[in-house]
Amino acid sequence: MSLLAFSASASAGVIYVDHSALGTGDGSSWANAYPSLRAALDNATSGDDLWVAQGTYTPGPSAAASDSFFLKSGVRLYGGFAGAETSVAQRDWVLHPTILSGDVDGDDSIVGWPSFNINGRNSAHVLTGNGADSSALVDGFSIGHGHTGPSGTPAGASEMAGSGLYNVSSHPTITHCIFEYNTSAWAWGAAIYNLDSNPTITHCTFRYNAVHLSSGVLGNLGTSQPVIEDCEFHTNQATTGSGGQEAQGAAIANGWDSPPITIERCLFRSNSAKQFYSSGSGVEQARGGAISSFSAGLLVKDCIFRNNSANAGGALFAWGQTTIVNCLFEGNNVYNMITSGITQSGYGSALGIRSNSGEVSRLVNSAILNNNVVLGESGAVSSGGTGVIEISNSILWGNSAPPPASPRKKHYRGDVVLSHNTIENLFVPDASDPVPDPADIPGCIDLDPLFVNPAGDNYRLSAGSPAIDAGLNLSVPGLANRDLDGLDRVALGASSFSVDMGPYEYGSVAPGPCPSLVNQPQALTVVVGAGASFQVLAQGLDLSYQWRKDGQQLADGGTFAGVNTAALTLTGTSAQDAGAYDVVVSNGCSSLVSSAALLSVDPAPLGSVVCSGDGEGQGCPCGNDKDPGEGCENSIGEGGRLTGSGSASLQAADAFLHTDHLPANKSALYFMGSSLLNGGLGNPFGDGLLCTLPIKRFAVQSSGAAGEISMLDPASLAPGQIAAGVTRVFQVWYRDPAGPCGSGWNTSNAYRVTFQP
């Protein structure tokens, strides 16, 4: 498994390390190598390469919990040498394992993982990064047997975290390494603990690590934003007890308010987040058998999840906006959790995403197969809170859940939007779960996807599969120009260049030498202050991107981000951002320019409708509920409807309020308040609801034959009561002698405006 990743030859900057060397020990050659890696590293300076021969090295020299290998900027550690090589390219870290061990006494034993016998002293951190930059390299090592501090170390102490690598404000490069048999307790990060750190972690294996009463063998806290690519996580465990952030992601855990991270081309298998106590007061669910993210913006791309387990989100659980592309979830499980007589049902056997702020997550070109709700509620894919999951171009098949789960809810539950998927038993009738209207689930089918060999875990599509060319190209994110095999995402299938359902593209080939465009950027209209995003789906080798506005190149910063990627993002748009956007896609073969997409930026709306008489929160006085955006029903069978137009700018003076759906030729007036009553639900008042307490009543008007009244520029009519930054609530009172409740008057909905300079 030699990898010709480097071609460096021995030079003045090489320091040799071999625990069996018997020479001078000055590190000048293999014969005179340092026998102690700790001594060699302590003496190294920026620019040095440490070549470390096979064998086991402990931090030493005192065998104390505080002993560690301390990483340094500019110092590169290479393992995997036999002890005679003359270049880095000659090493083989599989044939010649180089082990960095926290078992300083060499007396630990594994007695049926995850049980450990720690017979003597162990280092709390095998590696420590503190202030090192990306030039600090660890390449080709096995890093294990880091353990919590000595008996009596309190929960929350730093020795409890980061047993493999304790990484604080440090950004090292870690590659071709194995993290195994590391343990943390009451603290994140058995293998790697990242606090305000951005390491690059590639081609690594994390196995047999355990987090006791905490989360994440790879834990990210603070501002940490690691790169995680081409790694394998298997047979790791996190346990939960009495609550808090415990067992939230056995393999990877991202903390509250941490920046979004991307996880690419990784395999997660047989990881488990589980309950530790079988009784007691603990009711915290173990969520995310492989991954849990407390922060929004998680992107998981080209990953495989097999046989992971938890109480919720058998493979993945996220608490905010998440995007999952080209992924395979197979055979993951969730279980009930019972403590002190309290039962929390398992749900989301493959993945669960919860948002309390209405965020929209996406599952695109993925396969959710044979996942099991062993005990608990239904749903291989579960949306919770006020969040929405958009599922497109995907396959949901063979998932199971106990009764009374309907044929559909074995596959998905919660607020889910479906487009161009094949879902087993999608149209099977069920008394408790009506068959969806095909118009609400465009492009969805319930036909067998005809996998090549599901018994052999080959979930590629065979010839004649109904999933071929059955997806929607515009649903494919610009970042997903390859399928799970690394082949072109959109290929000529049975009849067209349309994307297939699922993570694998039938009949696809390796990207061609020259760029081509599958999806062009689409025109957008947004309001001032809102975000916007343009994206293209391009195929070809080693592509570069340059976005332009009106023909002029853009640079990252301010409004713009991603100007050199497939997706351009604008935040806080203004009128000056309106224009024509295109992108130049190029490589060494050629370049091409996308079509131009027009961005229109409309003025911000004047305000927002609040306190409707639709019965959603506060019923109307005599059951006379009407429609959202209107007041309670009146004598003409309508609800008084107050809307606004123009701008909230005091200088423009064009704020315009209009109310219709009133009885004809009746007295009516606008009134204005400073806050909403009853949490915005209002209180019964006549035949309607009183939504605000008046601080200003405007002039009485007649509704006329059309049943309408209007008011222009309310600020000019309420001097001293409306100023920049002030929010006011408007409502209309009107006479209605024949109204349904008999009071003789009614009210419109309310309309809230925050005025600007």
Side-chain angles (χ1 to χ4, degrees):
M1 190 179 169
S2 292
L3 183 67
L4 300 179
F6 301 90
S7 58
S9 298
S11 64
V14 173
I15 298 174
Y16 298 87
V17 182
D18 186 343
H19 70 102
S20 63
L22 299 175
T24 61
D26 61 5
S28 60
S29 66
W30 284 120
N32 296 316
Y34 276 99
S36 166
L37 174 59
R38 171 67 184 271
L41 182 56
D42 286 350
N43 291 326
T45 59
S46 181
D48 286 338
D49 292 349
L50 275 62
W51 293 12
V52 188
Q54 64 185 347
T56 299
Y57 301 82
T58 58
S62 63
S66 59
D67 285 336
S68 186
F69 295 110
F70 294 91
L71 303 181
K72 296 180 176 181
S73 297
V75 176
R76 295 171 290 273
L77 280 69
Y78 295 102
F81 291 93
E85 293 86 350
T86 58
S87 73
V88 172
Q90 294 171 343
R91 67 195 174 117
D92 188 323
W93 53 82
V94 174
L95 186 62
H96 305 295
T98 308
I99 301 167
L100 308 183
S101 175
D103 180 14
V104 292
D105 291 334
D107 56 1
D108 289 358
S109 62
I110 308 299
V111 285
W113 186 91
S115 295
F116 294 83
N117 279 344
I118 306 299
N119 297 309
R121 293 162 296 182
N122 283 63
S123 293
H125 316 304
V126 179
L127 297 172
T128 297
N130 191 345
D133 63 25
S134 60
S135 64
L137 173 69
V138 182
D139 184 343
F141 293 89
S142 176
I143 300 155
H145 292 266
H147 202 270
T148 57
S151 178
T153 302
S158 62
E159 289 84 0
M160 291 293 190
S163 302
L165 167 61
Y166 187 76
N167 203 38
V168 177
S169 301
S170 189
H171 320 298
T173 301
I174 313 294
T175 189
H176 308 123
C177 288
I178 297 172
F179 289 82
E180 60 182 355
Y181 300 118
N182 297 288
T183 307
S184 65
W186 297 281
W188 288 32
I192 299 178
Y193 171 85
N194 289 317
L195 176 63
D196 302 329
S197 298
N198 305 326
T200 297
I201 305 166
T202 61
H203 302 284
C204 290
T205 297
F206 296 78
R207 65 191 184 194
Y208 308 117
N209 301 284
V211 187
H212 179 61
L213 302 183
S214 196
S215 298
V217 303
L218 197 169
N220 306 305
L221 292 167
T223 60
S224 296
Q225 196 171 22
V227 172
I228 305 172
E229 296 178 351
D230 301 292
C231 292
E232 180 176 355
F233 297 79
H234 78 80
T235 325
N236 300 288
Q237 178 180 286
T239 56
T240 182
S242 60
Q245 297 179 26
E246 296 179 357
Q248 306 298 299
I252 300 175
N254 297 321
W256 290 108
D257 299 323
S258 293
I261 70 168
T262 297
I263 302 169
E264 294 190 64
R265 300 181 302 278
C266 290
L267 171 62
F268 300 85
R269 59 182 177 89
S270 302
N271 303 286
S272 63
K274 61 188 296 184
Q275 184 177 1
F276 181 70
Y277 301 112
S278 59
S279 62
S281 61
V283 293
E284 179 77 8
Q285 281 186 311
R287 303 180 183 91
I291 300 173
S292 178
S293 179
F294 286 102
S295 55
L298 175 67
L299 169 61
V300 181
K301 178 185 173 188
D302 302 331
C303 291
I304 296 175
F305 299 83
R306 284 196 169 105
N307 303 319
N308 304 284
S309 61
N311 299 130
L316 184 153
F317 196 94
W319 292 87
Q321 184 275 323
T322 301
T323 301
I324 301 168
V325 183
N326 289 347
C327 288
L328 171 65
F329 294 79
E330 181 202 7
N332 303 286
N333 302 284
V334 291
Y335 303 87
N336 268 0
M337 179 175 177
I338 304 175
T339 55
S340 299
I342 299 173
T343 300
Q344 296 195 41
S345 295
Y347 58 90
S349 53
L351 64 101
I353 303 175
R354 182 181 180 88
S355 170
N356 295 321
S357 56
E359 294 168 301
V360 177
S361 296
R362 299 186 66 197
L363 175 69
V364 187
N365 279 105
S366 295
I368 311 295
L369 310 171
N370 307 319
N371 301 283
N372 309 294
V373 179
V374 179
L375 290 171
E377 303 173 20
S378 54
V381 178
S382 176
S383 173
T386 60
V388 178
I389 302 177
E390 295 180 349
I391 306 176
S392 56
N393 299 349
S394 294
I395 301 171
L396 285 73
W397 207 266
N399 301 295
S400 68
S406 72
R408 283 166 293 284
K409 289 188 176 178
K410 294 178 181 180
H411 305 293
Y412 62 89
R413 69 189 288 268
D415 197 346
V416 172
V417 177
L418 303 174
S419 171
H420 295 80
N421 306 293
T422 183
I423 302 176
E424 185 182 27
N425 297 325
L426 179 62
F427 298 110
V428 172
D430 184 88
S432 64
D433 183 16
V435 173
D437 185 340
D440 295 331
I441 51 172
C444 289
I445 57 176
D446 62 356
L447 302 176
D448 190 330
L450 300 179
F451 296 121
V452 170
N453 181 17
D457 293 331
N458 186 343
Y459 293 104
R460 295 165 184 83
L461 304 175
S462 61
S465 168
I468 296 173
D469 292 342
L472 181 67
N473 287 358
L474 289 177
S475 294
V476 182
L479 54 90
N481 61 345
R482 311 277 178 88
D483 73 353
L484 190 50
D485 280 332
L487 306 177
D488 277 343
R489 178 67 268 186
V490 180
L492 178 61
S495 59
S496 67
F497 283 97
S498 294
V499 66
D500 297 346
M501 296 174 177
Y504 300 105
E505 188 77 10
Y506 176 80
S508 192
V509 296
C514 298
S516 62
L517 279 174
V518 178
N519 292 354
Q520 298 283 352
Q522 303 294 302
L524 294 172
T525 299
V526 298
V527 299
V528 167
S533 179
F534 295 104
Q535 65 178 19
V536 292
L537 178 58
Q539 297 185 155
L541 289 173
D542 301 323
L543 299 178
S544 62
Y545 300 86
Q546 177 60 64
W547 284 91
R548 308 185 305 180
K549 174 180 179 284
D550 298 329
Q552 300 298 311
Q553 290 188 1
L554 298 172
D556 282 335
T559 302
F560 302 104
V563 300
N564 298 123
T565 71
L568 173 69
T569 301
L570 292 79
T571 55
T573 55
S574 65
Q576 288 72 32
D577 295 318
Y581 289 79
D582 62 21
V583 61
V584 180
V585 183
S586 59
N587 61 12
C589 173
S590 64
S591 64
L592 53 83
V593 182
S594 73
S595 61
L598 184 65
L599 175 64
S600 300
V601 182
D602 291 343
L606 174 62
S608 58
V609 171
V610 289
C611 192
S612 297
D614 55 6
E616 283 297 310
Q618 169 72 61
C620 290
C622 60
N624 56 324
D625 300 337
K626 196 53 184 172
D627 297 323
E630 301 181 0
C632 298
E633 186 172 3
N634 56 32
S635 60
I636 63 172
E638 300 284 358
R641 183 173 63 183
L642 169 55
T643 58
S645 60
S647 73
S649 167
L650 296 177
Q651 183 177 0
D654 61 349
F656 183 74
L657 300 176
H658 180 74
T659 308
D660 59 5
H661 293 177
L662 305 178
N665 300 310
K666 296 294 185 289
S667 296
L669 62 85
Y670 286 96
F671 62 93
M672 178 182 75
S674 59
S675 61
L676 287 166
L677 292 177
N678 192 19
L681 302 179
N683 294 318
F685 182 63
D687 285 12
L689 299 172
L690 182 64
C691 299
T692 186
L693 290 176
I695 61 172
K696 168 69 176 177
R697 293 178 178 84
F698 296 91
V700 176
Q701 303 182 48
S702 172
S703 63
E708 301 177 1
I709 64 170
S710 300
M711 181 169 61
L712 176 64
D713 189 16
S716 66
L717 304 175
Q721 293 180 299
I722 296 177
V726 167
T727 298
R728 293 290 181 251
V729 179
F730 297 88
Q731 198 172 2
V732 167
W733 173 93
Y734 61 94
R735 291 204 175 277
D736 189 21
C741 303
S743 70
W745 75 85
N746 206 327
T747 56
S748 70
N749 59 284
Y751 194 81
R752 182 168 51 190
V753 180
T754 299
F755 289 90
Q756 306 299 325

